[in-house]
Amino acid sequence: MVRTFLRYLHLKGFTSVALADCVPSIRRLAGLPTFLPQQKVQLVLDACDRTMAMGLRDYAVLMALAKQGLRASEVAALSLDDIDWQSGSVLVHAKGRRQAMMPLSHHVGAAVVAFIRHGRPASACRHLFLRMLAPHVGFASGCAITMVAKEALERAGIHGYAHHGAHLFRHSLATDLLRSGASFAECDRRSDPYPAGHDRI
């Protein structure tokens, strides 16, 4: 309705600029990513049973998604050698063979340490996150991480979101950063460690 009115004003010469294109269509609005309020993100995290090895793993995975903003494929690709504990940073691997160092959140690091010490199966595999059933090897792709996220959402009783997997946590982090006063550029840097012109390792 508004777009039609603005087109009319432009055609009649009341406006010199076509303002209709500045108003997003309903279809565009419907495509906006969904997000979880931070209270619900915490509900999902709290639903992990951290008295069990699998719960420790799932909690660390979810923390990497929800607090570090990593993609499912990036979490699946993490290895023990990617974390520099002295500098508090993590080497992130993405598609296109891109790599970048990111600061490791203190809370994410604590979750990873708890998993390594008390939940990670003994294995020669250097992947950080492993299958809990033998053989204890790393995940082949981010699909398994997405399943961890979906099962965690189900466990917490959270339904009705367009995205119901790992990416929902990434969107939620970006939304929370924006609401806290961060700019879009800052959110881009937080959610994508490979900005234009970034030196690749």
Side-chain angles (χ1 to χ4, degrees):
M1 186 75 171
V2 175
R3 289 164 62 88
T4 303
F5 179 64
L6 291 174
R7 284 196 191 99
Y8 169 79
L9 292 178
H10 183 61
L11 287 172
K12 291 296 184 179
F14 292 108
T15 61
S16 59
V17 180
L19 297 174
D21 293 335
C22 298
V23 180
S25 65
I26 296 300
R27 180 174 54 82
R28 286 184 196 167
L29 289 173
L32 290 173
T34 55
F35 66 94
L36 288 174
Q38 284 305 300
Q39 300 93 319
K40 288 193 175 182
V41 171
Q42 192 60 49
L43 187 65
V44 176
L45 294 170
D46 291 342
C48 294
D49 184 359
R50 284 183 277 167
T51 64
M52 300 177 61
M54 185 173 289
L56 287 169
R57 184 202 65 184
D58 291 356
Y59 180 77
V61 164
L62 292 168
M63 287 290 285
L65 295 171
K67 304 300 182 181
Q68 199 73 41
L70 299 186
R71 298 176 176 89
S73 58
E74 294 167 348
V75 175
L78 287 174
S79 80
L80 294 170
D81 306 305
D82 290 332
I83 301 176
D84 185 333
W85 296 107
Q86 285 191 325
S87 67
S89 59
V90 58
L91 179 64
V92 179
H93 306 263
K95 57 186 177 182
R97 297 183 179 179
R98 295 187 299 175
Q99 299 179 338
M101 294 298 295
M102 289 182 68
L104 181 65
S105 161
H106 169 74
H107 297 294
V108 176
V112 169
V113 167
F115 167 62
I116 292 173
R117 286 181 173 172
H118 307 295
R120 190 176 185 275
S123 173
C125 180
R126 298 300 292 172
H127 274 82
L128 174 57
F129 297 113
L130 307 176
R131 299 173 185 271
M132 301 309 290
L133 298 176
H136 302 302
V137 295
F139 300 122
S141 71
C143 293
I145 301 298
T146 295
M147 287 306 302
V148 168
K150 285 184 176 181
E151 289 172 2
L153 289 164
E154 289 287 331
R155 193 163 54 240
I158 294 175
H159 309 281
Y161 287 84
H163 298 280
H164 205 69
H167 225 60
L168 179 59
F169 293 97
R170 182 177 169 84
H171 291 160
S172 302
L173 175 61
T175 301
D176 187 55
L177 289 172
L178 286 172
R179 289 183 167 182
S180 299
S183 67
F184 280 104
E186 289 169 331
C187 288
D188 283 343
R189 286 195 295 272
R190 177 68 177 268
S191 62
D192 189 349
Y194 321 101
H198 192 282
D199 291 334
R200 297 176 186 178
I201 297 172

